């Protein structure tokens, strides 16, 4: 091992050897298990966990000799433990160990940085525990609960078995936490943490076998030894340095679950676009909004209240379909039969028109119908000019007049519905694009992912609701041509 982690491990040990008082800055939160290197792990355990930094011989030594005295005590303690535990270490190896311990203080520029070195070691330990992308977090949660059964109470309610990607790990979590095996009296009465862990692990294995028989799991008999070995590994080789951090480990599991559920919901919403006009979009969007609310409630319970970030990430632009013929047909029909605006104006919006000038013409038609009840195509354009509402690219009076002459009364609702459908498709695709961007961002916290999804889906849902209005709005069949 090399890099900042290895340097920090050596620098921390050297800092404590230089100034034994520095052990007080890390002893309450850094564990020997946080060290990746086996020898540095044992040196730290001897120095800090076994309180050698406060040995009477060290305290009695002159300040300039404390480093030498402490280093000698460390090597002696290691040799004593090696003999008691049966370590396979040769005499030549011990010479190297002694030389290594002696060299550690000389490599530290300033012992006052001991706590900073410890933080680097602790962060690296956490990354090893959960993995760079949180891929080991599920096992770490189980190992933490097995090591400290009382941690199950801090996970219950917001972390679910269905949040685990590994089905066996999920079943183990369900038995341990959701079915409250961690609080069984047979576990609670044990006085030793190691004994509680052994009893709980054995009960977990028995509970899994009992459930498999009762629920008729299709598990071959040859698989059970592997399950037993997996549980044993969680209490030995896969233990976590800080089981008291089970809640933080559980948050990593929930974070991955939230990202996956949001991504799956985005796919289902996108899938509604396969049907013309996306008639199922509103229902699927509302279902996903309900899922987001439940996920947010669980994340708040796990971490504390999060801020409502809304549409935090901008949607990716998606092309809108070419609808110039339909836009002109709707406007022509409204010019011929302005009474259609009474129904169409309830759900058709200016932003549904994408061709230059059409949105402004629709707004002018709405205003004229609302103010006078009649529509004169020439006056509509004149009013727009008078109000300064015509922007570059707007329709000229002769274009509006040509649309009026070509207009067919009574078809505005059917054409308008097509424009609304096109708007829905556009907004849904923009929403799912933004959601997928948030889910794919490894730096996006669950609150950001949930807020982004909710903000965009609420906007898309409002668009989809207009399709329902357009579908059930009664069409005016009268000619009404002027």
């Amino acid at each position: 091992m090399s890099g900042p982690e290895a340097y920090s491990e050596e620098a921390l040990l050297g800092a404590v050897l230089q100034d034994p008082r520095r052990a007080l800055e890390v002893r309450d939160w850094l564990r020997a298990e946080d060290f990746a290197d086996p020898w540095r792990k044992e040196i730290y355990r001897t120095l800090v966990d076994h309180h050698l930094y406060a040995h009477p011989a060290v305290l009695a030594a002159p300040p300039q000799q404390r480093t030498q005295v402490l280093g000698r005590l460390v090597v002696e303690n290691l040799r004593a433990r090696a003999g008691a535990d049966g370590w396979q270490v040769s005499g030549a190896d011990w010479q190297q160990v002694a030389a290594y311990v002696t060299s550690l203080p000389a490599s530290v520029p300033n012992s006052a940085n001991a706590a900073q070195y410890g933080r680097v070691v602790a962060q690296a330990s956490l990354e090893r525990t959960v993995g760079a992308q949180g891929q080991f977090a599920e096992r770490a949660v189980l190992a933490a609960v097995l090591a400290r059964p009382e941690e199950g109470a801090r996970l219950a309610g917001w972390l679910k078995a269905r949040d685990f990607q590994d089905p066996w790990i999920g079943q183990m979590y369900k038995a341990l936490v959701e079915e409250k095996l961690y609080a069984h009296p047979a576990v609670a009465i044990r006085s030793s943490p190691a004994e509680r862990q052994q009893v709980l692990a054995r009960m977990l294995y028995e509970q899994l076998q009992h459930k498999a028989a009762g629920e008729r799991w299709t598990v071959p008999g040859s698989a059970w030894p592997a399950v037993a070995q997996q549980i044993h590994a969680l209490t030995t080789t896969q233990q976590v340095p800080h089981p008291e951090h089970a809640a933080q480990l559980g948050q990593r599991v929930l974070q991955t679950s939230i990202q996956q559920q949001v991504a799956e919901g985005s796919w289902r919403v996108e899938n509604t676009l396969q049907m013309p006009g996306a008639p199922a979009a509103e229902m699927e969007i509302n279902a996903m909004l309900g899922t987001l609310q439940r996920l947010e409630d669980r994340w708040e319970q796990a971490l504390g209240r999060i801020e409502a970030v809304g549409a935090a990430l901008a949607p990716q632009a998606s092309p809108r379909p070419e609808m110039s013929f339909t836009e002109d047909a709707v406007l022509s029909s409204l010019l011929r039969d302005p009474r259609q605006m009474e129904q169409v104006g309830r759900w058709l919006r200016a932003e549904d028109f994408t061709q230059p000038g059409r949105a402004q013409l629709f707004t002018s038609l709405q205003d004229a119908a609302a103010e006078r009840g009649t529509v004169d195509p020439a006056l509509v354009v004149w009013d727009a000019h008078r109000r300064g509402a015509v922007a570059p690219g707007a329709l000229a009076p002769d274009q509006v007049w040509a649309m009026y002459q070509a207009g067919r009364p009574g078809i505005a609702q059917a054409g308008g519905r097509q424009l609304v459908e096109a708007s829905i498709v556009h907004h849904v695709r923009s929403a799912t694009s933004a959601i997928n961007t948030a889910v794919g961002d490894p730096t996006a916290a669950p609150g950001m992912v949930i807020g982004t999804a909710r903000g965009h889906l609420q906007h898309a849902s409002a668009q989809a609701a207009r399709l329902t209005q357009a579908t059930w709005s009664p069409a005016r069949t009268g000619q009404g041509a002027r």
Side-chain angles (χ1 to χ4, degrees):
M1 180 186 63
S2 60
E5 179 185 355
Y7 175 82
S8 296
E9 288 187 1
E10 291 188 342
L12 174 58
L13 296 175
V16 177
L17 285 165
Q18 269 191 19
D19 184 355
R21 294 171 301 177
R22 299 299 173 183
L24 301 175
E25 299 176 5
V26 296
R27 68 177 184 179
D28 293 332
W29 51 270
L30 194 65
R31 304 284 188 270
E33 289 76 16
D34 288 317
F35 287 73
D37 182 85
W39 274 109
R40 289 195 281 268
K41 178 185 300 184
E42 295 305 329
I43 293 171
Y44 181 87
R45 194 190 311 277
T46 298
L47 267 176
V48 179
D49 291 352
H50 294 176
H51 307 288
L52 206 60
Y53 67 90
H55 193 281
V58 176
L59 299 178
Q64 64 273 19
Q65 297 181 9
R66 286 175 183 168
T67 297
Q68 183 180 0
V69 172
L70 183 55
R72 185 175 65 251
L73 289 172
V74 167
V75 176
E76 292 174 356
N77 187 278
L78 288 172
R79 297 195 70 160
R81 289 178 53 217
D85 297 341
W87 297 0
Q88 300 298 316
V89 185
S90 66
D93 291 336
W94 281 117
Q95 292 180 357
Q96 294 181 5
V97 171
Y100 179 67
V101 173
T102 301
S103 69
L104 285 173
S107 63
V108 183
N110 188 352
S111 63
N113 295 328
Q116 285 83 345
Y117 296 138
R119 293 188 186 97
V120 175
V121 174
Q123 180 61 34
S125 173
L126 176 62
E127 291 180 359
R128 288 194 306 273
T129 299
V130 302
Q133 303 298 327
Q135 63 268 33
F136 306 139
E138 295 185 359
R139 292 181 178 275
V141 169
L142 284 186
V145 175
L146 286 167
R148 281 173 57 96
E150 60 268 29
E151 294 298 318
R154 300 175 61 190
L155 299 167
W158 56 267
L159 188 62
K160 308 291 185 182
R162 62 177 179 270
D163 293 319
F164 291 74
Q165 307 301 308
D166 187 314
W168 271 108
I169 297 294
Q171 286 295 339
M172 291 180 191
Y173 177 84
K174 184 176 182 180
L176 273 176
V177 177
E178 294 183 8
E179 296 172 359
K180 300 188 182 300
L181 199 60
Y182 72 88
H184 195 282
V187 177
I189 63 173
R190 299 300 196 268
S191 58
S192 163
E195 191 177 6
R196 284 196 295 270
Q197 184 182 52
Q198 293 175 0
V199 171
L200 185 55
R202 185 173 65 251
M203 293 176 64
L204 173 61
Y205 180 68
E206 294 172 353
Q207 178 73 354
L208 289 174
Q209 287 187 312
H210 176 73
K211 290 181 64 179
E215 299 176 11
R216 298 183 179 180
W217 295 357
T218 56
V219 181
S222 58
W224 287 108
V227 175
Q229 179 58 37
Q230 191 175 33
I231 295 174
H232 177 71
L234 292 170
T235 63
T236 53
T237 58
Q238 297 175 9
Q239 293 186 70
V240 296
H242 299 273
E244 67 274 15
H245 294 166
Q248 289 89 324
L249 299 174
Q251 291 162 12
R252 294 295 295 269
V253 175
L254 180 56
Q255 177 177 349
T256 301
S257 178
I258 287 173
Q259 291 173 330
Q260 181 176 0
Q261 291 187 60
V262 172
E264 291 175 350
S266 176
W267 177 84
R268 288 193 299 270
V269 171
E270 178 81 18
N271 206 40
T272 62
L273 301 183
Q274 295 181 7
M275 295 292 293
E282 183 181 11
M283 182 181 299
E284 194 63 56
I285 289 172
N286 291 336
M288 188 175 176
L289 286 171
T291 298
L292 290 173
Q293 183 60 58
R294 290 188 291 272
L295 290 174
E296 183 180 49
D297 291 343
R298 287 207 284 147
W299 184 249
E300 289 176 354
Q301 189 177 353
L303 193 60
R305 193 149 193 92
I306 60 176
E307 297 180 359
V309 295
L313 297 179
Q316 299 293 319
S318 59
R320 300 191 70 164
E322 176 62 44
M323 302 287 287
S324 58
F325 178 81
T326 305
E327 292 183 16
D328 284 356
V330 170
L331 293 171
S332 298
S333 184
L334 289 173
L335 285 166
R336 274 290 181 183
D337 183 6
R339 292 177 298 173
Q340 295 176 101
M341 189 66 77
E342 180 182 350
Q343 294 296 335
V344 175
R346 296 177 181 177
W347 43 264
L348 191 62
R349 302 285 183 268
E351 56 266 26
D352 294 323
F353 295 83
T354 61
Q355 297 302 305
R358 270 65 176 176
Q360 295 167 338
L361 176 56
F362 179 77
T363 300
S364 298
L365 287 170
Q366 280 185 309
D367 293 343
E371 293 176 5
R372 299 186 298 274
T374 60
V375 175
D376 185 306
L379 289 179
V380 166
V381 177
W382 180 81
D383 283 345
H385 276 288
R386 180 175 58 82
R387 299 175 186 179
V390 175
L395 295 175
D398 57 338
Q399 291 176 283
V400 178
W401 186 256
M403 292 174 68
Y404 167 74
Q405 290 181 312
R408 293 174 54 197
I411 65 170
Q413 176 157 326
R417 187 178 188 278
Q418 295 179 39
L419 298 182
V420 173
E421 289 175 355
S423 288
I424 292 169
V425 170
H426 170 72
H427 287 293
V428 168
R429 283 184 174 152
S430 296
T432 55
S433 175
I435 293 168
N436 294 336
T437 299
V439 171
D441 182 1
T443 65
M448 176 72 76
V449 174
I450 293 172
T452 297
R454 176 186 287 118
H456 285 291
L457 287 176
Q458 285 176 337
H459 183 65
S461 178
Q463 303 296 326
R466 292 196 292 126
L467 179 61
T468 302
Q469 285 184 286
T471 301
W472 294 102
S473 177
R476 180 177 293 278
T477 56
Q479 296 300 303
R482 295 174 48 242

